[in-house]
Each structure stands twice: as structure tokens, then as C-alpha cells.
Amino acid sequence: MIVLSTETPGDHWEIEALLDTAFAPGRTGLSSYRLRDGVDPVPELCLTARDDDAIAALAGTIRFWPVSIGEAAAPALLLGPVAAHPTRQGEGIGAMLILEGLERAADAGWERCILIGDEPYYARFGFRRSLAEAIAFPPPTNPNRILAKELIKGTMKGVTGTVRKWRAGKTRHAKT
Ligand SMILES: CC(C)(COP(=O)(O)OP(=O)(O)OC[C@H]1O[C@@H](n2cnc3c(N)ncnc32)[C@H](O)[C@@H]1OP(=O)(O)O)[C@@H](O)C(=O)NCCC(=O)NCCS
């Protein structure tokens, strides 16, 4: 059985190793990482998936970062990175992590979530390219991979502009 837990500092290097295994080399060169530089992820939304046995091997990880969108600085969550260990893909671990993270995000009052990824995978969780057509990521980013989900219905309406790094001290749940 898989157990989901909130990430702790002791998970750090195991998570980095899993991400290095799951993603192509140079993952930290992606433009999405520039939005994460020097900004803490949202701790209660960063999760590990481990086997419920004596070894408790790390089978998956998800993290979410706060970002703001456009001149209006609309607060949003950036989903990712999310990964399942290559030997454990297709078991539903990615889905468990994403669903739990999104549920916690909604419970915490976040209104919208964005990501860069494949719509054929993320559509099952409610992410749509059509909701993200008015937003842009810093280059180089393939615009067709920018997706958004409304955690509260209607909250992507009127949200336009470039996704920016979160500013320290910003009020997280400010309505836009
Ligand atoms: C993407 C990832 C997190 C999914 O986790 P997972 O535990 O393997 O996924 P699940 O078991 O929940 O779902 C498996 C299903 O998703 C599909 N799927 C996985 N990646 C997909 C993709 N990129 N595009 C379309 N479908 C995808 C599988 O084909 C499978 O389909 P099925 O249910 O019809 O059989 C995992 O494959 C992974 O770590 N990949 C490498 C890192 C990565 O690309 N992360 C996402 C960055 S955007």
C-alpha cells in the first residue's frame, strides 16, 4: 500500500534523487525553475508517496510553488515537479499525489493552479489549455503545454499576463 505524507526536511535528498531519475538531465534549467529560485514551496502541499513496509521506499513526490500572474499579480499555485519512480509508473501514484495536493490546496483557499505539462494526462484532474490561453510563462516555454485549473469555479476568468515569481510577504489569498 502507498502512504502519502507531508514532505519533511529528511526527505530532501531522496526526492532530489528521484527527480533526477524521473526527469531528463538538466531539469533545473527549465524556465519553470526560475519561478522557484529563492522561493519556498508551499510546505503543506509538498507530499511524498512511500511504500507501507519496513523499507518505505520513496515511490513518488509532488511539490507546489506560489506564483503570481500578470500585472494584477493574481495568486496561483504552480503544480510540480511531480514524479513517480520509473519502476513505479502506471500504478496510480501520480494521480494520488495530484488529487491529494489539489484537495489540500482547495481546502487552504487557493483559487487557481497552473502547470506546464501534457494536457492528455492532466485533463483528468481538470486542467485545461483553454483556461490558460491568456497567460504566458517566461521563455523558453511551449505555450501549448501551459494548463490551468480553477480550484474555485470562474477564477481563471480575466486572469492574464506573464507568470511571475512570488514576492515575499505577499498575501496569499488576496482575491483578484
Ligand atoms: C507523469 C507521472 C507523474 C504520472 O505518474 P504515474 O503514477 O505514472 O501516473 P498514473 O499511474 O497516475 O497514471 C497513469 C496513466 O497516465 C498516463 N500518462 C502518464 N504520463 C502521461 C503523459 N505524459 N501524457 C499522457 N498520458 C500520460 C499513462 O499512460 C496511464 O494511462 P492509463 O491510466 O490510461 O493507463 C509519471 O509518469 C512521471 O513521473 N513521469 C516522469 C516525470 C514527469 O514527466 N512528470 C510530469 C512533468 S509535467
Side-chain angles (χ1 to χ4, degrees):
M1 201 180 87
I2 287 288
V3 178
L4 301 187
S5 309
T6 307
E7 182 185 325
T8 68
D11 294 318
H12 180 80
W13 290 112
E14 222 178 336
I15 290 173
E16 290 303 310
L18 192 155
L19 293 173
D20 285 344
T21 306
F23 285 92
R27 64 181 170 89
T28 58
L30 295 172
S31 61
S32 56
Y33 274 81
R34 301 295 72 77
L35 297 167
R36 299 175 179 127
D37 287 340
V39 181
D40 288 335
V42 183
E44 65 271 24
L45 305 182
C46 296
L47 307 173
T48 59
R50 290 185 181 277
D51 288 312
D52 182 24
D53 61 16
I55 298 170
L58 184 68
T61 173
I62 192 168
R63 288 169 169 159
F64 290 82
W65 258 263
V67 291
S68 65
I69 306 174
E71 293 303 320
L77 283 171
L78 175 63
L79 187 159
V82 55
H85 191 279
T87 60
R88 308 296 303 272
Q89 290 177 6
E91 295 181 22
I93 294 168
M96 285 173 68
L97 289 164
I98 292 167
L99 289 170
E100 175 70 15
L102 292 173
E103 191 178 319
R104 289 187 184 202
D107 287 349
W110 289 91
E111 297 178 348
R112 57 188 76 82
C113 186
I114 59 175
L115 60 80
I116 300 172
D118 296 330
E119 191 174 26
Y121 181 63
Y122 289 102
R124 68 194 73 184
F125 309 108
F127 286 88
R128 300 278 178 271
R129 173 73 199 118
S130 57
L131 289 172
E133 277 168 354
I135 68 174
F137 269 69
T141 303
N142 177 350
N144 295 322
R145 289 171 52 78
I146 304 173
L147 311 178
K149 174 183 169 72
E150 295 175 335
L151 297 171
I152 298 173
K153 198 168 166 44
T155 50
M156 281 306 295
K157 200 170 173 194
V159 175
T160 68
T162 300
V163 179
R164 297 166 195 274
K165 212 190 255 203
W166 188 258
R167 281 183 285 114
K170 184 168 161 50
T171 305
R172 189 171 88 182
H173 296 140
K175 302 272 188 231
T176 55

